[in-house]
């Protein structure tokens, strides 16, 4: 059945005019207004009803104005009309709907109840204050809001009626309206008379004026906007949570940010507890059963020192099935419990200390919210109220779940990052040298520090013993961070050790390393799109006999040298392109390093950061290195302390310090070898005599055989001039034979009837190690003899 509305159709004059100006409809109200019955005017031009010129066709969709119309009795009536243009749905020309109120017989009576209800019975709380801002009149809604007898409060100021601090601010706003004559809207949060909880109010103030426009007072209308206010506050808290939670990839910091956001906006005391990850590094369980062991990660309270807590951060506790923590985790959803209802009595009885804290601080409402992300439960956040009198409601639950869900994603990201970082760090440290090998050429100390925020990178260093007591030093930096950068670093470090083992010159070694990086980029890239593998490297070879150091770099920071007497400077080296560009040359530079010189090699993370520019970093490095006394380890620590920014470095740092040592000339003996094989015997005799001078008689027999074979091979197959050199180290004797031929000897197995071919096999059996290195003049065949019998293979 259709609903009947109490509308009087004759109370409004209504007509419909087609686009061609013909009257299409004419109701009873129009007849009462102009006296024409519908059958006389419908279908005829509407202009016949005009007593004057027709108005222009309106341009818009609505028109209003006064027109002179003809009454049926011949009179002319001025009538105010409002017309609406409606476009037809069937795409025909639209129509004009014309309306006008029909007079009902005179003005309203002075005691009209509807007129009185306009103010008194309005649901909006309204008050009128005079020019002295004293209360003149209030309606029923405002009287209920104030909660005091209306006849008693007339003549009082608003600050005298209400003792809330917000009343003073409202009175200042009313004074502004009184002075300027302009309306003003104000939002406030205050208690109404007799209410325990404050409400949010939109207070609309407007000047009250007389006919002459003089301001006589201020009207005040109050609208309760508590629901909108709370919704806006919740939205603001969610937005704040998205900004404040997850500022770092640290689990503890993220959990603390979650607690900080919820206090005091949502709760008076908040704890955040997480499940410990499995020891084997696997995933957390998908289903939980009580009891549940959780670790307190963070907590926060409105009270200083968090006195409500019975557990400190970092400590674990097993929660039984009756606890809010275990119940919410096993159920998989939020659980709200009230102390007064007895819902927590079993849990509090089980844990006496918590029961005492609940009574001491008056905790009355608790809410446990699971921390879940990507289908995995990570822990639980427990929110408690004791200062706020209202319990948690459904809106509070939704808000807490929204904030916790955002925090859960951040905590999960932090955990994943931490696990990947630990994996990369373990890989990185396994690929770096655990200790630096002791060498006669130098003493070395090193430091490696992973980036504090960006994760483990591809920085590395190494010290590689070479033939002839020489030693190679390398520091490199692979572009990027994470496991991929660490793996690339491991491949490059292995390649450098392999290339160094064949005694390539620094510039040649970097050329081969550049080719390797280019191939790695091609392997990691897709079809027709190379990868992004890149690196920088600094490679140096130091010879303690000549005290010369040969260096080359590939886009790496310049090394720093501290010579005896604290003369410090950067080594001027050709820059060289970074590794991975391919096809560009590298250049070597040779410098002399007196004994006791400290060479500092490092990656750019040491001198460059967000807190300082490279020039400042170099200056601090120079100052810290210049303070070197005798300890390389102390100097490493001093350098890191001087250059590391607060909170750790933003990039990996590799630092290598080496103090050179020289071999005395008395430990080196050199002979020029004649081309006659018959003169090999006198050479052997001179070698034995030199060994007697060095008090190495026990090694004379083996050394004589090795020298004889190496020298004989050089005379037969090499090119002149030929030179023999003996180097006496503390632990070994090194025999070197050099010639100008670039043909390297090969170890082969001689047949039974062969007269030769056993020389190098004999050398390999008698020495600790042997090999060939190529020089700019030719080649050098070398062999090392251990001076300790237990070291002989």
């Amino acid at each position: 059945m259709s609903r009947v509305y109490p509308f009087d159709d004759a109370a409004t004059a209504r007509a419909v005019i087609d686009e061609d100006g013909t009257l299409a409809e004419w109701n009873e109200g129009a007849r009462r207004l102009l006296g024409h019955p519908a059958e006389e005017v419908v279908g005829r031009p509407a202009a016949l009803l005009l007593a004057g010129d027709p108005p222009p066709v309106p341009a818009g969709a609505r028109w209003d104005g006064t027109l002179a119309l003809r009454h049926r009795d011949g009179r002319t009536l001025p009538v105010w009309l409002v017309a609406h243009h409606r476009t037809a749905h069937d795409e025909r020309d639209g129509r004009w709907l014309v309306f006008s109120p029909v007079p009902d017989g005179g003005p309203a009576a002075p005691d009209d109840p509807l007129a009185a209800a306009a103010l008194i019975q309005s649901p909006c709380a309204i008050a009128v204050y005079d020019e002295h801002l004293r209360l003149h009149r209030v309606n029923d809604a405002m009287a209920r809001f104030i909660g005091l007898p209306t006849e008693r409060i007339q003549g009082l100021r608003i600050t005298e009626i209400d003792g809330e601090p917000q009343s003073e601010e409202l009175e200042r706003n009313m004074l502004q309206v009184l002075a300027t004559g302009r309306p003003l809207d104000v939002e406030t949060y205050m208690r109404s008379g007799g209410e325990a909880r404050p409400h949010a109010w939109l207070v609309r103030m407007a000047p009250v004026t007389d006919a002459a426009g003089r301001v006589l007072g201020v009207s005040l209308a109050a609208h309760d906007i508590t629901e909108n206010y709370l919704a806006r506050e919740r939205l603001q808290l969610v937005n704040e949570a998205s900004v404040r939670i997850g500022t770092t990839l640290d689990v503890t910091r993220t959990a603390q940010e979650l607690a900080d956001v919820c206090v005091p906006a949502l709760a008076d005391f908040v704890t955040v507890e997480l499940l410990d990850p499995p020891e084997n590094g696997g995933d957390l369980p998908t289903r939980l059963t009580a009891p549940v062991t959780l670790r307190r990660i963070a907590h926060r309270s409105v009270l200083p020192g968090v006195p409500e807590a019975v557990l400190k951060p970092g400590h674990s506790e097993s929660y039984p099935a009756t606890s809010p923590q275990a119940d919410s985790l096993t159920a998989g959803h939020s659980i709200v419990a009230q102390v007064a209802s007895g819902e927590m009595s079993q849990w509090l009885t089980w844990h006496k200390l918590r029961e005492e804290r609940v009574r001491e601080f008056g905790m009355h409402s608790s809410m446990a919210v699971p921390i879940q992300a990507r289908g995995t439960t990570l822990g639980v956040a427990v929110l408690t109220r004791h200062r706020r009198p209202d319990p948690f409601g459904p809106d509070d639950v939704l808000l807490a779940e929204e904030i916790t869900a955002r925090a859960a994603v951040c905590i999960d990201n932090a955990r994943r990052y931490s696990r990947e970082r630990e994996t990369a760090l373990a890989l990185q440290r396994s690929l770096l040298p655990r200790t630096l090998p002791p060498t006669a050429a130098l003493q070395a100390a090193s430091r490696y520090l992973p980036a504090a925020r960006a994760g483990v990178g591809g920085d590395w260093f190494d010290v590689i013993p070479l033939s002839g007591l020489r030693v190679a030093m390398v520091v490199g930096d692979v572009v990027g961070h994470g496991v991929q950068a660490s793996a690339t670093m491991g491949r490059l470090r292995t390649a450098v050790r392999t290339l160094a083992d064949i005694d390539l010159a620094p510039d040649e070694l970097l050329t081969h390393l550049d080719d390797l990086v280019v191939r790695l980029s091609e392997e990691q890239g897709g079809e027709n799109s190379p990868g992004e593998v890149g690196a920088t490297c600094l490679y140096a070879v130091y010879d303690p006999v000549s005290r010369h150091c040969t260096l080359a770099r590939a886009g790496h920071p310049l090394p720093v040298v501290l010579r005896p007497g604290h003369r410090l400077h950067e080594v001027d080296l050709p820059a060289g392109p970074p590794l991975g560009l391919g096809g560009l040359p590298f250049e070597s530079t040779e410098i002399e390093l007196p004994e006791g010189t400290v060479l500092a090699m490092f990656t750019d993370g040491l001198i460059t950061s967000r807190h300082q520019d490279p020039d400042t970093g170099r200056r601090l490095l120079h100052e810290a290195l210049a303070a070197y006394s005798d300890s390389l380890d102390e100097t490493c620590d001093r350098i890191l302390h001087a250059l590391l920014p607060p909170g750790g470095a933003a990039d990996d740092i590799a630092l290598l310090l080496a103090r050179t040592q020289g071999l005395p000339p008395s430990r080196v003996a050199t002979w020029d070898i004649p081309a006659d094989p018959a003169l090999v015997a006198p050479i052997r005799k001179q070698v034995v005599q030199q060994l007697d001078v060095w008090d190495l008689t026990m090694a004379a027999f083996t050394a004589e055989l090795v020298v004889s074979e190496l020298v004989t091979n050089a005379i037969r197959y090499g090119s002149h001039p030929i030179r023999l050199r003996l180097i006496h180290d503390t632990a070994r004797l090194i025999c070197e034979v050099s010639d100008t031929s670039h043909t390297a000897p090969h170890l082969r197995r001689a047949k039974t009837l062969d007269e030769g071919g056993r020389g190098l096999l004999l050398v390999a059996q008698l020495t600790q190690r042997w090999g060939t290195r190529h020089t700019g003049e030719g080649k050098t065949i070398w062999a090392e003899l251990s001076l300790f019998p237990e070291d002989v293979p």
Side-chain angles (χ1 to χ4, degrees):
M1 186 176 68
S2 61
R3 183 174 179 180
V4 178
Y5 292 91
F7 296 151
D8 181 6
D9 187 59
T12 303
R14 182 179 73 249
V16 177
I17 305 175
D18 285 334
E19 288 291 339
D20 60 0
T22 303
L23 277 168
E25 293 184 18
W26 188 263
N27 77 335
E28 177 61 21
R31 188 200 62 78
R32 288 176 54 189
L33 180 65
L34 296 179
H36 302 282
E39 58 271 15
E40 291 183 2
V41 293
V42 172
R44 303 182 66 186
L48 296 176
L49 298 176
L50 296 175
D53 295 331
V57 178
R62 191 180 77 175
W63 176 90
D64 70 279
T66 301
L67 294 179
L69 301 181
R70 298 182 186 277
H71 194 274
R72 190 168 185 267
D73 60 9
R75 291 180 292 122
T76 299
L77 295 178
V79 180
W80 179 85
L81 302 173
V82 58
H84 303 278
H85 186 259
R86 299 291 178 86
T87 303
H89 295 292
D90 56 1
E91 297 184 356
R92 296 181 303 173
D93 291 337
R95 294 179 168 186
W96 285 93
L97 280 68
V98 184
F99 302 92
S100 180
V102 177
D104 57 359
D111 57 350
D112 185 3
L114 292 179
L119 172 65
I120 302 303
Q121 298 181 21
S122 170
C124 177
I126 300 174
V128 178
Y129 290 81
D130 62 18
E131 59 184 354
H132 302 293
L133 294 186
R134 296 193 173 276
L135 183 63
H136 178 72
R137 189 177 183 185
V138 297
N139 70 346
D140 294 343
M142 181 62 78
R144 289 191 298 271
F145 169 76
I146 295 175
L148 296 173
T150 305
E151 66 276 6
R152 301 295 186 185
I153 60 176
Q154 288 186 358
L156 296 181
R157 292 165 47 194
I158 189 173
T159 53
E160 297 168 341
I161 298 172
D162 192 292
E164 295 290 329
Q166 295 85 346
S167 299
E168 298 180 2
E169 180 66 23
L170 290 176
E171 189 171 65
R172 285 193 292 268
N173 294 322
M174 292 167 63
L175 183 61
Q176 179 181 342
V177 173
L178 192 66
T180 62
R182 292 193 296 268
L184 183 65
D185 291 348
V186 178
E187 288 190 14
T188 186
Y189 195 71
M190 60 188 297
R191 290 183 180 87
S192 61
E195 287 193 335
R197 293 181 56 188
H199 285 232
W201 300 92
L202 172 62
V203 182
R204 316 201 75 164
M205 304 177 186
V208 178
T209 60
D210 59 11
R214 187 170 61 92
V215 178
L216 302 178
V218 176
S219 68
L220 183 150
H223 306 270
D224 190 344
I225 58 169
T226 303
E227 291 300 323
N228 291 338
Y229 175 84
L230 293 178
R232 188 172 59 202
E233 193 176 53
R234 288 192 290 268
L235 180 60
Q236 182 178 353
L237 185 59
V238 171
N239 292 336
E240 183 181 353
S242 65
V243 174
R244 293 176 55 185
I245 299 177
T247 58
T248 66
L249 286 172
D250 181 81
V251 174
T252 302
R253 177 72 177 274
T254 304
Q256 188 61 56
E257 290 168 346
L258 169 59
D260 293 344
V261 165
C262 293
V263 175
L266 191 55
D268 301 319
F269 173 49
V270 173
T271 64
V272 180
E273 294 168 296
L274 301 179
L275 294 161
D276 284 331
E279 294 182 359
N280 58 7
D283 295 328
L284 293 170
T286 55
R287 295 182 63 87
L288 297 173
T289 57
V292 180
T293 300
L294 298 169
R295 184 178 301 277
R296 176 73 55 85
I297 304 298
H299 55 210
R300 179 66 184 272
S301 171
V302 292
L303 303 176
V306 197
E308 307 98 322
V310 299
L311 200 66
K312 294 182 179 179
H315 292 243
S316 298
E317 186 170 0
S318 180
Y319 292 93
T322 56
S323 64
Q325 291 88 341
D327 287 349
S328 64
L329 289 178
T330 55
H333 57 77
S334 302
I335 290 181
V336 177
Q338 313 297 333
V339 174
S341 65
E343 297 169 315
M344 301 175 62
S345 57
Q346 189 176 357
W347 157 239
L348 297 178
T349 303
W350 182 84
H351 203 292
K352 291 295 185 182
L353 183 55
R354 278 188 168 85
E355 184 180 19
E356 294 175 2
R357 297 292 170 85
V358 167
R359 288 199 305 267
E360 178 183 356
F361 295 99
M363 300 179 185
H364 60 83
S365 185
S366 175
M367 174 168 52
V369 183
I371 301 174
Q372 299 170 326
R374 300 181 177 95
T376 301
T377 300
L378 306 176
V380 62
V382 179
L383 296 79
T384 306
R385 286 181 177 176
H386 55 77
R387 177 173 289 183
R388 291 178 57 165
D390 52 312
F392 290 109
D395 290 339
D396 297 321
V397 175
L398 292 176
L399 179 58
E401 289 176 344
E402 175 69 21
I403 295 174
T404 304
R406 292 172 181 261
V409 174
C410 298
I411 291 174
D412 187 53
N413 289 340
R415 275 195 164 173
R416 291 170 183 263
Y417 165 78
S418 298
R419 184 166 57 186
E420 180 180 345
R421 175 181 169 83
E422 290 171 2
T423 302
L425 186 57
L427 174 63
Q428 178 87 341
R429 295 198 181 280
S430 69
L431 296 174
L432 291 173
R434 293 180 179 272
T435 58
L436 298 179
T439 66
L442 51 82
Q443 294 179 343
S446 62
R447 295 291 185 274
Y448 169 75
L449 292 178
R453 300 178 183 86
V456 177
D459 291 16
W460 91 93
F461 60 87
D462 213 345
V463 174
I464 309 169
L466 303 177
S467 63
L469 294 184
R470 296 170 308 122
V471 63
M473 296 163 284
V474 59
V475 172
D477 183 1
V478 175
V479 175
H481 296 87
V483 175
Q484 185 63 49
S486 297
T488 302
M489 177 275 290
R491 300 178 70 173
L492 294 185
R493 178 173 178 250
T494 301
V496 169
R497 294 187 72 90
T498 302
L499 295 171
D501 195 50
I502 60 177
D503 268 315
L504 290 179
D507 54 340
E508 295 181 29
L509 183 142
L510 291 181
T511 300
H512 286 282
L513 200 62
D514 182 49
D515 294 338
L516 173 61
V517 174
V518 171
R519 290 197 298 273
L520 291 177
S521 294
E522 294 173 352
E523 291 175 5
Q524 293 189 14
E527 185 177 357
N528 300 324
S529 60
E532 298 181 355
V533 178
T536 64
C537 186
L538 173 62
Y539 185 78
V541 176
Y542 174 68
D543 187 347
V545 178
S546 64
R547 293 175 173 81
H548 284 185
C549 184
T550 306
L551 307 96
R553 66 179 180 134
H556 203 80
L558 290 170
V560 179
V561 167
L562 177 64
R563 299 180 183 272
H566 293 273
R567 292 180 296 128
L568 187 146
H569 65 90
E570 287 184 339
V571 181
D572 187 13
L573 296 178
L579 300 175
L581 297 183
L584 299 177
F586 300 93
E587 299 181 45
S588 295
T589 298
E590 185 174 293
I591 60 173
E592 183 177 358
L593 296 181
E595 184 172 3
T597 299
V598 176
L599 176 66
M601 303 167 62
F602 49 88
T603 54
D604 60 357
L606 181 67
I607 60 174
T608 304
S609 72
R610 294 176 299 175
H611 303 274
Q612 63 186 19
D613 57 85
D615 291 338
T616 302
R618 291 190 187 92
R619 178 180 57 80
L620 295 175
L621 171 64
H622 293 180
E623 292 175 356
L625 186 60
Y628 164 79
S629 53
D630 291 324
S631 173
L632 292 175
D633 283 312
E634 290 180 2
T635 305
C636 284
D637 294 337
R638 184 185 307 111
I639 291 173
L640 294 180
H641 179 74
L643 277 85
L644 277 183
D651 195 6
D652 282 27
I653 292 176
L655 171 64
L656 178 65
L657 296 184
R659 181 175 57 230
T660 61
Q661 300 175 154
L663 197 66
S666 60
R667 295 285 187 108
V668 181
T670 305
W671 296 272
D672 291 326
I673 306 300
D676 188 357
L679 298 179
V680 174
I683 295 297
R684 294 202 304 266
K685 184 177 180 180
Q686 294 179 38
V687 168
V688 172
Q689 292 173 350
Q690 182 62 50
L691 295 180
D692 288 340
V693 173
W694 286 341
D695 196 19
L696 298 178
T697 307
M698 72 286 194
F701 178 75
T702 304
E704 187 178 1
L705 288 177
V706 171
V707 167
S708 178
E709 291 296 336
L710 295 182
V711 169
T712 301
N713 279 346
I715 293 175
R716 288 180 178 177
Y717 307 111
S719 301
H720 290 275
I722 301 173
R723 176 168 294 180
L724 167 66
R725 185 170 73 165
L726 295 183
I727 303 173
H728 173 211
D729 184 23
T730 305
R732 70 190 74 108
L733 177 67
I734 301 172
C735 303
E736 295 183 344
V737 176
S738 304
D739 66 83
T740 57
S741 171
H742 291 279
T743 303
H746 297 282
L747 184 66
R748 67 183 179 88
R749 184 176 297 277
K751 297 180 181 179
T752 304
L753 300 178
D754 287 350
E755 296 182 0
R758 297 177 179 84
L760 288 180
L761 179 61
L762 180 62
V763 170
Q765 295 296 318
L766 294 175
T767 60
Q768 189 176 15
R769 61 185 189 128
W770 74 281
T772 303
R773 69 174 181 267
H774 292 274
T775 64
E777 297 79 21
K779 69 175 181 297
T780 297
I781 303 175
W782 55 270
E784 291 185 4
L785 286 73
S786 174
L787 300 180
F788 301 100
E790 60 272 15
D791 293 338
V792 178

